[in-house]
Amino acid sequence: MSLSAVDLSAVPAHVACVMDGNGRWAERRGLPRTAGHEAGLDALLDAVDGALEIGVQWLTVYAFSTENWSRPREEVRFLLEFNRSNLATRRDELHERGVRLRFIGGRDRRLPRSLLAEMDAAAELTAENRRLTLTVAFNYGGRAELTEAVRRIVASGVQSTQVTEQTIRANLATPDMPDPDVLIRTSGEHRLSNFLLWQVAYSEMVFLDVLWPDFSRTHLFEAVVEYQRRERRFGGLDQ
Ligand code: FPP
């Protein structure tokens, strides 16, 4: 799908992606799964450029789920180090493009301090950028995010009758982030897999048959065009 098919006056503010299929992409080529993650990063960077091109302001990607710890130790180790080193080497080019980098997910002991340090450095360097906010979900799970929100609300001592949807939203990892307008999942799987459970209540779901490493900005444009085609009712009548 080319850029010209996109209605630039109705671009979604927030696109979320479940970047699925890296392992299968590699296995089909007789390559180690890690090669799929490497190719997946190139796909992500092209998606970032595509988002910048059409003016998407928020892009949120699922880079490592709370369930991913159960993968083979070598793959987990690779993903931790891969993210650390790429944050170090890519943050300047993202900064130059006006991208603000943010991270959501548990900062627990399983994350090496060196990775946390790179995340903080990238977030700090790019904190003032507003062209596009790229939120990387790492050691993230929607249920864990909601559990954490409930803990904070209870700890604040608020009366149960005073708890509203706004209270919950305000205690999510990124209360200032608009909900995704579109959620894309690649690789033909039709699941949420614990991604942004609260935030995707009204998101348009776009499932693409492409494996994530084969994803590029043209697929992003395809998903945006699909979003623009659908009637969005938010449970009510036409707006
Ligand atoms: C899912 O494919 C992909 C992942 C678990 C990792 C995604 C990570 C990246 C694309 C790199 C991101 C890097 C930075 C610096 C943000 P899978 O392994 O589940 O594939 P499969 O379903 O075919 O096994």
Side-chain angles (χ1 to χ4, degrees), residues 19-24 33 37 40-41 44 63 68 71 82-83:
M19 309 185 286
D20 195 16
N22 292 352
R24 275 164 286 166
R33 292 175 55 82
H37 299 315
L41 177 64
L44 172 58
N68 285 154
R71 295 199 168 195
F82 183 65
N83 275 272

Side-chain angles (χ1 to χ4, degrees), residues 188-203:
E189 305 289 347
H190 297 181
R191 285 188 303 279
L192 270 181
S193 297
N194 205 12
F195 193 39
L196 303 176
L197 292 182
W198 176 276
Q199 297 90 331
V200 297
Y202 289 101
S203 305

Side-chain angles (χ1 to χ4, degrees), residues 50-84:
L52 289 167
E53 211 173 333
I54 60 173
V56 170
Q57 290 177 298
W58 302 79
L59 184 66
T60 302
V61 297
Y62 211 176
F64 193 90
S65 75
T66 46
E67 289 73 36
N68 285 154
W69 294 108
S70 61
R71 295 199 168 195
R73 217 157 57 163
E74 276 314 302
E75 186 174 346
V76 169
R77 204 175 296 167
F78 172 87
L79 281 169
L80 295 173
E81 171 52 22
F82 183 65
N83 275 272
R84 190 207 60 74

